[in-house]
Amino acid sequence: MTATEPEGTFCLVLHSHLPWLAHHGSWPVGEEWLYQAWAHSYLPVTDLLRRFADEGKRDVLTLGVTPVLAAQLDDPYCLRAFHAWLGDWQLRTQHAASLWRGDDLLSSLAADEYRAATGALEEFEGRWRHGFSPVLRSLVDSGVAELLGGPLTHPFQPLLDERVRSFALRGGLTDTALRLGHRPAGIWAPECGYAPGMEDGYAAAGVRRFLVDGPSLRGDTSAARTVGSSDVVCFGRDLEVTYRVWSPKSGYPGHSAYRDFHTWAHDVGLKPSRVTGKHIEPADKAPYDPALAADTLHQHVKDFVDTVVGRLRELRERHGRRSLVVAAYDTELFGHWWHEGPAWLEGVLRALPEAGVRVTTLRGALEAGHLGGPVDLPASSWGSGKDWRVWDGEQVADMVQENANLQRRLLDLETGGQVRDPAADQAVTEALLAMSSDWAFMVTKDSAADYACRRARVHTERFDEVAALLRAGSPAARARAAALRAEDGPFGHVDARAL
């Protein structure tokens, strides 16, 4: 390898997604979930990308944004409520400063939180007043990030009737094009869910590339691969590298020095502790020490860069060519779940090129020649077991059956003929919201399972209510649909006739 040749290529892919939460509760799940992720992940990650764009950097990372998340970040109600939430955060930091006076570490934490809240308010008021779409469009237009889209409400596609699957995917791509002026050429398939033959639907919808988990490619993720007989390309997550940061059992965010996500000072609504130890009770955890966390972060940036370089060298020796490493994560990991995550992200993206690694997007990896031969993919996901068990297992068997029945009723829906019917459009929206993959995930993982079951049931009932009014020819159908749209109105362009 000459001095000018890169060690290989690295792609960071971030998947930004939350289900539709507006008007459906606040704490501990519901809107609070949205506002925490917005403040602690979406604001700092987009700020990082903007600073990279200002420096003239291009193709830094691949950013997936699901249509249902984009809809919330553009929604007038959510914008107003988030602005109020940021103001409340600032007030809570001032209250913490008064309560924690006399404790050096906690007083410093309160001051840091105040600065963070104030900075977030200024950023939001200055750049986000008209929603997320103008912010994201500027990043995509600058070329600093490649955009990935997805189906409308993030359904688990392998369990969908092909007609519903196509409708949701085409609607999602259209939604992104309407918001940003760009129709994504790639998607992050919800939960990386795949069933053999789905590539044909992707090709028909204009999707050129998508993500799968590493085991789908039997661990050979060193190049992108065309799928089946199509020219649609899949990229596999390199789990050896990806899991250094976050795996089902370990990863950097669990280090004792980092800020603990789960421990709250409920009197001020802030997180004052560091992880300390996996089995330490919240009351016994040590106070958060930013200096200690910063030292640890520096070590973890170096460890990750060393891991990527070592992996690329190993792959080059094995395959006789420069290879590709794709690491992919939920955007919400950086800042929301892992307080230090945005700083780690910036450190890694700056350090990798200095270590001789080409950092680019999925599109850039193809342009660099990282394309292998065709592959037949198995039924798969990025969930437990890398199969479908999280979304169609025994724990959610009733939900799977209810969704299958709902799809049949959806496809039988009277959709309005020659003229759009807003009642039919809203019924379709409610059905799609009921089929969000998040609900089954939350039940299987026993994470706010009651909330997830309630959400799936509520949207199914709303669909059936409007559908019954439509079948009866009732003039009340439109009035009821309008009332529901005030709560569940993420996609004004959804046209039931397209089913």
Side-chain angles (χ1 to χ4, degrees), residues 237-302:
R237 288 203 311 165
D238 185 315
L239 296 189
E240 182 171 316
V241 172
T242 296
Y243 279 0
R244 291 297 290 176
V245 181
W246 188 252
S247 80
K249 296 182 179 179
S250 63
Y252 302 147
H255 191 278
S256 62
Y258 289 140
R259 197 166 180 180
D260 188 69
F261 173 81
H262 299 284
T263 302
W264 291 84
H266 288 284
D267 50 353
V268 292
L270 301 179
K271 299 172 183 177
S273 304
R274 59 186 176 93
V275 173
T276 311
K278 290 184 177 180
H279 305 295
I280 305 297
E281 292 297 320
D284 299 325
K285 289 183 181 287
Y288 180 62
D289 184 343
L292 183 62
D295 288 342
T296 304
L297 186 77
H298 178 75
Q299 297 169 22
H300 285 158
V301 167
K302 183 180 185 304

Side-chain angles (χ1 to χ4, degrees), residues 292-314:
L292 183 62
D295 288 342
T296 304
L297 186 77
H298 178 75
Q299 297 169 22
H300 285 158
V301 167
K302 183 180 185 304
D303 178 77
F304 188 79
V305 171
D306 290 345
T307 299
V308 171
V309 171
R311 178 66 165 157
L312 288 170
R313 290 175 178 173
E314 172 202 333

Side-chain angles (χ1 to χ4, degrees), residues 70-83:
Q72 291 175 97
L73 302 185
D74 279 342
D75 183 78
Y77 166 81
C78 292
L79 288 166
R80 291 192 301 271
F82 180 54
H83 188 235

